[in-house]
Amino acid sequence: MSIERIAVVGAGQMGSGIAHVLAIAGYDVVLEDLNTEILDKSIALIRKNMARQAARGLIQDADIEAAIARIKPVVGLDGLGDRDLVIESVFEDEALKRAIYQELGTVLKPGAIIATNTSSISVTRLAAATGHAEHFIGLHFMNPVPVMQLVEVIRGIATDDPTYQAALDLVKRIGKTAAYAEDFPAFIVNRILLPMINEAVYTLYEGVGNVEAIDTAMRLGANHPMGPLQLADFIGLDTCLAVMQVLYEGLADSKYRPCPLLVKYVEAGWLGRKTGRGFYDYRSDHPVPTR
């Protein structure tokens, strides 16, 4: 399968990052969302992040405008009929994803591949909503996409070999490294990472340490580049909770039970950096722990 024309559905943080790396690699990219304001912010963010790469010598200044020109922002799915591959990158809501796939089924050309950027949901189950499960695959990019090297590649039970090979070829062309993961809840990275974050929230909830102490302990005691609560804010506490719920329901093991404090923060709308408050308050010049 030859892939040259790609669409990214969802212009949030992950979708913007995926469009960024695809455009740098020379792909013709359509970036889709239902909100023109989100699309405008996404293009501005992509331009800003490309400028950072140029300042670090990772790309040339001249590459920026050419790459931006390869990204076409569009509203709605109707204009995706010529795409060879569509990468869905919306929130971890299975019903929303399935609805998008069903609509794409009425738009895409025969043989087009659909990939999901899900971080935890069964690829096999999502593929069943498309009517063409053999052309469906998981491509789980890491955040922030322009920086992180890894892409988890997950086959559903029906994914055929040409689709899998096309996915591996794409990952190689954009300069990333593929890690094959079986289709189990949360795959590899989040199966290991999110329970650690959830345990850090339990440590806070039970009063073993405060936010600053927990993050300092893991940075200096385990040599992590950032503390687990700071990382949770960066990922988004709603996303952390969604992954833990998938693990808890999918594996039926009490060790994956989401911490009640994580649930409380999400219910309060304190989702981390994107809302200005999470385990840290980001509304001033310097983040301040909230507990």
Side-chain angles (χ1 to χ4, degrees):
M1 294 183 179
S2 176
I3 295 176
E4 293 298 332
R5 296 180 298 275
I6 302 175
V8 179
V9 175
Q13 187 176 38
M14 292 301 296
S16 298
I18 294 168
H20 173 145
V21 298
L22 292 173
I24 288 290
Y27 286 105
D28 173 348
V29 183
V30 166
L31 180 58
E32 187 278 337
D33 205 281
L34 296 178
N35 188 312
T36 55
E37 183 178 351
I38 290 176
L39 286 167
D40 291 342
K41 289 181 179 179
S42 177
I43 296 299
L45 177 63
I46 292 169
R47 188 186 298 276
K48 179 180 178 181
N49 287 338
M50 287 182 180
R52 287 177 176 172
Q53 286 182 308
R56 295 171 59 193
L58 300 176
I59 62 174
Q60 300 297 315
D61 287 323
D63 297 334
I64 297 176
E65 291 308 317
I68 292 292
R70 285 192 283 270
I71 304 173
K72 178 184 177 183
V74 302
V75 174
L77 303 178
D78 291 342
L80 308 187
D82 67 336
R83 300 291 99 178
D84 305 314
L85 166 67
V86 175
I87 302 174
E88 166 271 309
S89 184
V90 302
F91 181 68
E92 286 290 272
D93 181 318
E94 184 168 343
L96 173 61
K97 292 176 184 289
R98 292 171 70 93
I100 289 170
Y101 306 148
Q102 288 169 359
E103 186 175 350
L104 285 172
T106 68
V107 173
L108 297 181
K109 64 185 181 181
I113 297 172
I114 300 177
T116 176
N117 186 49
T118 183
S119 58
S120 59
I121 302 171
S122 167
V123 170
T124 296
R125 196 164 67 240
L126 292 176
T130 68
H132 297 283
E134 68 276 15
H135 296 148
F136 191 92
I137 197 162
L139 286 175
H140 178 213
F141 291 80
M142 305 295 123
N143 186 29
V145 180
V147 175
M148 300 297 283
Q149 182 68 24
L150 184 71
V151 180
E152 287 182 316
V153 180
I154 309 100
R155 295 179 73 156
I157 194 170
T159 305
D160 64 19
D161 289 338
T163 298
Y164 176 59
Q165 188 58 54
L168 294 180
D169 291 345
L170 179 140
V171 172
K172 183 177 179 180
R173 177 167 163 181
I174 63 175
K176 304 293 187 186
T177 299
Y180 178 71
E182 292 289 345
D183 190 18
F184 282 85
F187 319 126
I188 297 172
V189 173
N190 282 339
R191 173 75 176 267
I192 298 168
L193 177 64
L194 266 297
M196 184 201 73
I197 289 175
N198 193 54
E199 193 62 27
V201 183
Y202 266 114
T203 305
L204 177 65
Y205 178 60
E206 294 168 2
V208 180
N210 60 25
V211 168
E212 189 170 19
I214 292 166
D215 277 353
T216 298
M218 293 306 293
R219 283 198 306 270
L220 302 184
N223 205 28
H224 289 191
M226 67 172 70
L229 301 176
Q230 181 187 7
L231 178 58
D233 277 355
F234 183 78
I235 294 169
L237 302 192
D238 51 343
T239 300
C240 293
L241 178 58
V243 174
M244 289 309 303
Q245 287 170 331
V246 167
L247 282 167
Y248 187 45
E249 295 165 6
L251 298 174
D253 191 325
S254 61
K255 72 180 181 180
Y256 298 115
R257 182 172 71 94
C259 179
L261 184 60
L262 177 59
V263 175
K264 184 179 291 186
Y265 270 58
V266 172
E267 288 176 343
W270 292 17
L271 307 182
R273 283 183 173 272
K274 60 187 174 185
T275 59
R277 275 193 297 189
F279 294 112
Y280 292 85
D281 189 326
Y282 300 93
R283 294 174 298 172
S284 59
D285 291 340
H286 300 288
V288 178
T290 54
R291 291 177 75 91

